[in-house]
Structure formats: structure tokens, C-alpha cells
Amino acid sequence: MFEDVNDLYQQVILDHCRHPRNFHEIPSCSVTAQGRNPVCGDQLKLFLTLKDDRILDAAFVGSGCCISKASASLLTENVKGKTRQEATALFDQVRGLITTGQDQGDVGKLAVFAGVHKYPARVKCAILAWHALLEALKGGSAPVTTENEAS
Amino acid sequence: MNKTFDWEACRRDFPILDQTIHGKPLVYLDNAATSQKPLSVIEALVHYYKRDNANVHRGIHELSNRSTVAFEGARARVARFIHAPHPDEIIFTRGTTESINLLAATWGATNLKPGDVILLTEMEHHSNLVPWQMIARRTGARLAFIPVTGDDGMLDLSRLEDYLTPQVKLLSMVHISNSLGTLNPVEELCARARKMGVTTLVDGAQSAGHLPVDVQALGCDFFAFSGHKICGPTGIGVLWGRQECLEGMPPYQGGGEMILTAGYDRTEYKPAPHRFEAGTPDISGPIGLHAAMDYLDAIGRDQIWKHDQELAHHAWDQLSKLKDIRLFGPAGNSPFRAGLVSFLLKDVHAHDIVTLADQAGVALRGGHHCTQPLMHKLGVESTARASFYFYNTRAEVDQFVDVIREIQRFFGR
Ligand SMILES: Cc1ncc(COP(=O)(O)O)c(C=O)c1O
């Protein structure tokens, strides 16, 4: 019945949604940020451990749909080892990919989010964790929302 | 199923229902968010703009006369629709939300003082919560809530006297819960409140178009509803208030239409309803709403209610056969069960349910349904919801349940 949604619910996404990676708090983290999706009330909290300019560890907790959970899970896997600047550049690439579906250069496994733009209501879910990342890197503690994200 | 009315045939009055979504026939089950509009409503709007459009009340010419007659005719029709004693008690607003905000800003601002209590229930829509939080902050009044029992979605009235204290000035409650599908015993609650001298408001957003409403029998002081949920256009709603309550209330907004005479420093206001309707109103809205009320009453809201309940009962029975499902609100065969069903599947988020159902042509809603405190009380962030109306069929309910079964399979694989 749902052959057509495979571009949204790709195997990698289903896998990360069922078995989210780095799904725990980091009590000794350097920075943390919260993301909230006011549409559904979902929220997640992202934890980063930084040394100098580099992200040594990343993890998240929270409730969310399959897309937002998988997105956060893949985020934590992908930003480990990156500098602030590299992570910010990755945000731009991933955001471009999620909102337009167009190739933004090599983003590895994150390419599975290329199908999300066809489901405008779900763009916010996919991008939530990434906004939290940006906020965490700024060192901010105010919760971010995706309310004004074009969808 | 009810044999007295041809429910299938009335679908032809709703051209929007006859289409495919993602290649599948549309099954529209998001009626609690907004209903679809029959041709008669669409045509009333078109006719108004093609033939009768002019501003109301201030013109002498023929078109102005026609639109004023149509506008005031709609007001009289609303009065009949809810059995209000007089059309002057009908205030047009943008919808339930504005109706409640109007009441909070006028009645609330003049009647509430520090220590007073505004009594709500735990199942209120944000539109019957946030305006009261705002006015409570300004006046020093405080909010209290009649509890909800749990997943079965009933109000816990066992200790009502603990809540209905002498400090309570207003009891405001939802008639039918948009997130649980509960029909609340508002008649009984209004009677109890009245004995204590408490003013009452009933949020009829989910009830006005689904069951016969008689505000005098309900015994409330105010009743609010939205046109768009009862087959009418968006942007038009109603606040009904008992004449003696309206008389003491200050204006809502200032401007044209609401004054008797205006000077540079002083103005004398018109009585209700015009005192509360500053500026050029939505004129086509009431005209479309008039056609919608005619449409509903030609079917009969008692019939619509029976049909709603039968569909909800059937949906509940079918859904409760599924494994790993959590259903909210009164049981399917409960007399308090209205025509919508809220549910959750184990390990599947409401958003994912709705996205997949949409792929199968079934329009559902997932989220907190603007009842976030209630969701938190029940320990969830969101639910998925199917909400029915008279043009929905038993076959559509079966399709919907099949789709839910497939969704479980999809995420279980
Ligand atoms: C119970 C209830 N109250 C109030 C509202 C608000 O109605 P509106 O958005 O039309 O103002 C709704 C609609 O979602 C509702 O379901």
C-alpha cells in the first residue's frame, strides 16, 4: 500500500528510528540545545562535548516521529570529529538537501533525506535536530523551533 | 445504519469529496479541524459577490439594502439554529477563538478581580485556555480545572463541589472535546453553576453542527462556535450571550458600526450586538453560514448525531481489535462518545501515521490538537485522530481501519 513513501521512509531512516544511535544524555557535555516542534509538541535535546574547536561527542534525547528521531540520530553520528566550522557547513548542506532535495555535495548517509522535500509537512521534523545543533554551537540555551522554516 | 436519509447521495453536494489523493479516492476524516462545504454554501457566496455586494448598515441604495437584509437575516437564522431567544443576542466574530477572546476582554475585564476563580476543564482547547490565562494575569483572577479521569476522557465530577467554590466567577467548558471525542454533560454543569451564581460559557466548536443545540435548554450564559466546522466558510463565528449578560459588557473594539454618536472625547455606544462588531464585518461569511445552517437542518442534526455516533462506534470497535493500539475517550458504545476517535499505535508516532494514511488517500490529523496540557496529563505528546461527519460512510471507516492495519505492518517489518 505504501510503495510510494519509500523515498521518505528509506531503510536507513527506519533503522535509525527504531534503533536511534547516541540516544542518551551526556551529563558532562560542553553545550546543549533544545529543539521543539510546536506543531506536534515534539522536543529533543542535543548534547555536544567540545574540545577546543572540535566536537568530540554528540548525543540526544527526546520524543519525536520517525523522521525527526532518525535525523537526530544520523546527526550525532555525522558531527562527531568535526570542527564548529565543518559542522556549520554541514548544517547548510543538509538544510539545502532537506528543503530542496537537490544535491549539495557529498553528505554521506545523510543523502537519505533527499526525499523529504516532497512531504512539505515533514520538512520541519527532519530539520529540527539540525537547528538545535546550530544553536548548541552558538552556545545558546534558548529552545529553538522550526516554526518559521519554509516548508 | 440509519435508513431515513440517503447519506451516500449527499456526497454529491460536496464536489471536493470526488477526487483522488496520491492516486487513491479521498477519504476525508479531518472534519474536527474543518468540514467541507456543500454547493449551496459555495453558491451563496458566489451569488452574493456577483449580485448583492455592498457595505452593510450605512447605505441607502438598493445593494446596501440587500446586503444588510442578508446579513441581518443570517443573524436571525443563527438565533433559530441555537434556539436563542433573540437575534440581538448573536454577535458575529471570526470564530470560536475570537468569541472567547471577546468574552475574556469584555466580560472578563469588568467582572474579574483578584482572588476570583475561572473554572475550566482539563480538556479545553487552547482557545478556551489561553484567553483566560491572559485575562487572569491582568485581573489577578486565577484558573482552576475540573479534572479528566484518564484515557476514557470523562470529566471527574465526583468532587465537583470542591471545584465549584464561592470564588468561582466563570465556568467555561467544551461541549464536545476535539481531542477525546467526549460529549460533556454541560446541561448538568450549567445547572450546578447557575445555583452558585456562576456565569457559564460553552465552547460549541465541535457540537453546534453535530447535534441539536438549544442554548436555553443547556442553561448556559454564553455559547461560542465556528462557521467553518459546520459546513460554512472560514472567518465567521458566533458568540451568543444572554441579553442581561451582554448589557453590562463594555465594547470589544472601537470603530465604525458600534457607535450611536461620536464626539472628539466621548462616544455613546450602540447596544448589543453592534457594540461588539466594530468596523465593516465579514458579510459574505454570515451569508455562507446561513446556507450551511439551512443545509444541516434540512438533514436534521438529530440524524447527523446518530450517524456520527454510529461511525465512531464502528471505528472504535474495529480499531480496538488491533494489537498495540491505545484509544482515547469514552468507549464506542458510550452515549458520551461523539463522532471522532483519537488513538496511538505502539512505537509509531502520530505524524508517521498521518503521513502514511495520506499516501492511502485518508486525511487524518496528528498532533496535540491544541490541547497540549491534556496530552501531557495523559502522558503523550500527540495522538492521531479520525473525525467524522454526515458525508462519511461506513465503508470509509473500514478503509481507514485497513490503512491503520497496513501502517502497523509497515513499521513492524
Ligand atoms: C473544541 C474547540 N474549541 C475551539 C476551537 C477553535 O476554533 P477556531 O479555530 O475556529 O476559532 C476548536 C477548533 O479547532 C475546537 O475544536
Side-chain angles (χ1 to χ4, degrees):
Chain A
M1 187 177 276
F2 304 122
E3 315 73 39
D4 296 341
V5 295
N6 289 338
D7 52 357
L8 179 63
Y9 295 102
Q10 303 223 11
Q11 273 312 326
V12 175
I13 292 182
L14 286 173
D15 174 42
H16 277 259
C17 134
R18 287 191 196 119
H19 312 289
R21 322 294 201 267
N22 306 307
F23 191 55
H24 55 79
E25 301 194 358
I26 307 179
S28 62
C29 68
S30 330
V31 284
T32 150
Q34 250 183 39
R36 277 191 218 154
N37 185 342
V39 181
C40 52
D42 286 347
Q43 36 191 315
L44 62 84
K45 200 166 175 189
L46 186 68
F47 304 84
L48 301 179
T49 305
L50 291 147
K51 178 141 192 285
D52 302 326
D53 206 34
R54 203 168 284 281
I55 300 169
L56 294 187
D57 198 10
F60 80 105
V61 295
S63 65
C65 63
C66 200
I67 306 300
S68 72
K69 236 195 276 174
S71 175
S73 170
L74 280 155
L75 178 152
T76 56
E77 277 196 335
N78 273 270
V79 297
K80 278 191 211 180
K82 291 207 162 41
T83 63
R84 277 173 196 266
Q85 207 183 357
E86 286 165 350
T88 309
L90 186 62
F91 168 89
D92 289 334
Q93 276 181 302
V94 171
R95 183 179 170 184
L97 181 76
I98 290 173
T99 53
T100 68
Q102 272 156 28
D103 189 9
Q104 308 287 320
D106 185 16
V107 291
K109 257 202 242 171
L110 294 168
V112 294
F113 290 104
V116 176
H117 75 104
K118 284 186 249 167
Y119 303 81
R122 306 309 297 278
V123 164
K124 287 176 185 174
C125 314
I127 218 158
L128 182 63
W130 291 88
H131 277 288
L133 170 71
L134 210 58
E135 194 57 31
L137 288 175
K138 279 196 233 150
S141 54
V144 296
T145 80
T146 51
E147 187 55 354
N148 298 321
E149 186 63 58
S151 58
Chain B
M1 278 271 128
N2 194 310
K3 294 288 185 302
T4 55
F5 184 80
D6 190 349
W7 302 102
E8 287 279 352
C10 80
R11 292 177 66 87
R12 287 197 288 276
D13 297 333
F14 293 81
I16 201 170
L17 297 176
D18 183 22
Q19 63 176 306
T20 55
I21 300 289
H22 306 303
K24 318 272 180 3
L26 167 65
V27 176
Y28 184 78
L29 301 182
D30 195 16
N31 293 287
T34 199
S35 74
Q36 299 302 347
K37 325 300 174 196
L39 276 171
S40 61
V41 168
I42 298 167
E43 279 159 9
L45 297 174
V46 170
H47 178 86
Y48 169 70
Y49 281 119
K50 274 187 164 169
R51 302 292 307 168
D52 299 338
N53 176 58
N55 209 332
V56 288
H57 296 141
R58 9 187 169 179
I60 309 282
H61 58 77
E62 170 64 16
L63 292 188
S64 173
N65 187 40
R66 273 191 224 158
S67 58
T68 304
V69 167
F71 182 74
E72 291 303 328
R75 197 190 302 280
R77 182 68 183 86
V78 173
R80 273 191 286 134
F81 190 70
I82 58 172
H83 288 263
H86 203 278
D88 286 348
E89 298 177 336
I90 304 298
I91 301 162
F92 283 126
T93 64
R94 282 195 296 122
T96 309
T97 303
E98 190 178 43
S99 296
I100 299 174
N101 275 278
L102 185 159
L103 194 67
T106 58
W107 184 93
T110 43
N111 286 279
L112 295 169
K113 53 181 194 320
D116 286 348
V117 171
I118 303 163
L119 184 58
L120 307 173
T121 80
E122 283 183 340
M123 63 169 87
E124 296 311 315
H125 189 279
H126 295 166
S127 67
N128 195 25
L129 169 63
V130 182
W132 301 117
Q133 290 174 341
M134 289 162 60
I135 199 68
R137 208 156 294 146
R138 275 182 48 201
T139 58
R142 103 191 137 71
L143 304 186
F145 300 89
I146 300 175
V148 169
T149 45
D151 280 10
D152 66 346
M154 301 294 285
L155 290 178
D156 180 0
L157 301 179
S158 62
R159 293 188 302 124
L160 185 61
E161 56 281 7
D162 293 353
Y163 292 95
L164 215 46
T165 61
Q167 284 72 43
V168 175
K169 284 283 144 57
L170 176 80
L171 169 60
S172 185
M173 65 205 145
V174 69
H175 198 175
I176 290 176
S177 156
N178 65 307
S179 48
L180 299 166
T182 314
L183 170 69
N184 285 318
V186 292
E187 211 161 322
E188 181 191 331
L189 283 161
C190 287
R192 295 278 295 268
R194 177 156 292 264
K195 276 199 202 117
M196 309 269 301
V198 173
T199 301
T200 50
L201 164 67
V202 173
D203 169 356
Q206 296 296 339
S207 64
H210 290 262
L211 46 73
V213 169
D214 178 337
V215 290
Q216 300 180 68
L218 288 180
C220 53
D221 296 305
F222 296 95
F223 186 90
F225 68 98
S226 303
H228 70 95
K229 293 186 199 281
I230 70 163
C231 292
T234 50
I236 186 68
V238 169
L239 176 66
W240 168 78
R242 236 177 246 288
Q243 192 141 27
E244 59 270 31
C245 298
L246 295 177
E247 269 162 18
M249 283 159 48
Y252 176 43
Q253 296 174 329
E257 303 279 2
M258 51 81 76
I259 58 113
L260 276 178
T261 55
Y264 281 118
D265 359 286
R266 268 190 68 91
T267 287
E268 219 184 321
Y269 309 124
K270 280 185 186 166
H274 301 290
R275 184 191 307 171
F276 304 103
E277 295 178 354
T280 298
D282 177 359
I283 303 166
S284 63
I287 289 169
L289 180 60
H290 191 158
M293 293 183 289
D294 284 349
Y295 188 92
L296 294 179
D297 283 346
I299 301 172
R301 272 174 287 164
D302 49 341
Q303 299 298 314
I304 292 175
W305 177 242
K306 258 196 244 164
H307 184 82
D308 274 3
Q309 279 199 312
E310 280 168 12
L311 292 184
H313 188 174
H314 182 54
W316 177 279
D317 282 354
Q318 296 303 307
L319 288 174
S320 56
K321 287 181 193 153
L322 302 182
K323 277 199 314 237
D324 297 330
I325 191 165
R326 182 170 165 193
L327 288 155
F328 297 87
N333 59 0
S334 161
F336 302 109
R337 159 60 60 186
L340 63 91
V341 178
S342 240
F343 62 98
L344 268 183
L345 302 178
K346 184 163 172 278
D347 296 332
V348 186
H349 191 279
H351 264 187
D352 297 311
I353 297 175
V354 176
T355 294
L356 284 179
D358 180 55
Q359 291 299 310
V362 179
L364 302 177
R365 181 152 296 248
H368 51 59
H369 314 294
C370 295
T371 54
Q372 211 165 15
L374 174 68
M375 294 288 121
H376 289 164
K377 151 130 190 169
L378 298 174
V380 300
E381 290 296 343
S382 53
T383 70
R385 179 185 76 188
S387 53
F388 312 113
Y389 214 1
F390 55 87
Y391 40 70
N392 291 124
T393 65
R394 200 177 164 93
E396 285 183 315
V397 173
D398 289 333
Q399 259 168 286
F400 150 66
V401 175
D402 279 345
V403 165
I404 297 305
R405 208 174 282 124
E406 288 297 323
I407 292 172
Q408 285 191 316
R409 212 164 285 154
F410 182 88
F411 283 104
R413 75 188 171 181

